[in-house]
């Protein structure tokens, strides 16, 4: 099934891009902190970020990756352990998994996503020119 993973692909497309995650780790979409809610341009940047479940760090670019054999149950378990490692309630994992899978349902594998608060959009489609990342054309 398709899940969201951290990617460095297309980093630099925006001046405020950042990528502190481990390449390919599962990411989740978290509520922005108070600083970004009040000052989106000068806060910490978390309202633009996807949170890495393993590294506890963040990236502004996520890729829709197909992981063969991966199940919804696996995804919930990964989210629950990532959430509890960060001090969040792991009971939220199931709802979060459902929301995030619904979000990417119908979007193409290998599409690269970006975020602005609650709005998640496709930055780059798999068929788009320059899909291999900046500097390849
Ligand atoms: Zn923040």
């Amino acid at each position: 099934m398709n899940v969201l993973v951290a990617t460095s692909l297309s980093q630099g497309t925006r001046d405020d891009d950042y990528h502190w995650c481990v390449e390919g780790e599962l990411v989740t979409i978290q509520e922005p902190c108070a600083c970004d809610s009040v000052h989106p341009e000068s806060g910490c940047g978390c309202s633009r970020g996807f949170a890495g479940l393993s590294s506890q760090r963040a990236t502004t670019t996520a890729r829709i990756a197909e992981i063969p054999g991966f199940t919804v149950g696996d995804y919930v378990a990964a989210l629950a352990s990532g959430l509890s490692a960060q001090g969040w309630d792991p009971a939220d994992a199931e709802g979060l998994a459902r929301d995030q899978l619904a979000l990417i349902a119908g979007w193409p594998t290998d599409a690269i996503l970006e975020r602005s608060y609650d709005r998640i959009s496709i930055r780059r489609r798999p068929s788009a020119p320059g899909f291999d990342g900046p500097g390849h054309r």
Side-chain angles (χ1 to χ4, degrees), residues 29-54:
I29 299 160
Q30 292 179 334
E31 289 291 317
C33 69
C35 59
D36 263 38
S37 300
V38 180
H39 302 291
E41 301 310 321
S42 58
C44 74
C46 60
S47 63
R48 289 178 280 112
F50 299 88
L53 287 179
S54 310

Side-chain angles (χ1 to χ4, degrees), residues 53 56 77-91:
L53 287 179
Q56 321 298 337
L79 280 169
S81 84
L83 287 174
S84 61
Q86 292 172 63
W88 300 92
D89 185 355

Side-chain angles (χ1 to χ4, degrees), residues 4 7 9 21 24 39-40 47 57 61 63 65 72 76 79 102 105 110 116-117 120 125 127 136:
L4 285 175
T7 183
L9 286 174
C21 283
H39 302 291
S47 63
R57 309 194 79 171
T61 44
R63 184 171 67 88
V72 175
V76 172
L79 280 169
D110 283 337
S116 178
Y117 287 91
I120 314 295
R125 290 183 174 272
S127 56
H136 283 241

Side-chain angles (χ1 to χ4, degrees), residues 8-125:
S8 61
L9 286 174
S10 85
Q11 277 284 313
T13 303
R14 289 176 185 267
D15 288 344
D16 53 8
D17 269 342
Y18 56 80
H19 179 65
W20 299 319
C21 283
V22 174
E23 187 74 24
E25 71 171 311
L26 288 168
V27 295
T28 185
I29 299 160
Q30 292 179 334
E31 289 291 317
C33 69
C35 59
D36 263 38
S37 300
V38 180
H39 302 291
E41 301 310 321
S42 58
C44 74
C46 60
S47 63
R48 289 178 280 112
F50 299 88
L53 287 179
S54 310
S55 68
Q56 321 298 337
R57 309 194 79 171
T59 179
T60 53
T61 44
R63 184 171 67 88
I64 297 178
E66 184 174 5
I67 305 182
F70 203 75
T71 66
V72 175
D74 293 338
Y75 193 43
V76 172
L79 280 169
S81 84
L83 287 174
S84 61
Q86 292 172 63
W88 300 92
D89 185 355
D92 296 340
E94 198 161 342
L96 201 55
R98 204 179 312 116
D99 289 349
Q100 289 175 184
L101 293 175
L103 174 78
I104 64 172
W107 282 357
T109 304
D110 283 337
I112 296 172
L113 308 184
E114 63 183 17
R115 170 185 184 195
S116 178
Y117 287 91
D118 293 340
R119 193 170 50 83
I120 314 295
S121 52
I122 295 179
R123 167 182 291 198
R124 191 173 289 178
R125 290 183 174 272

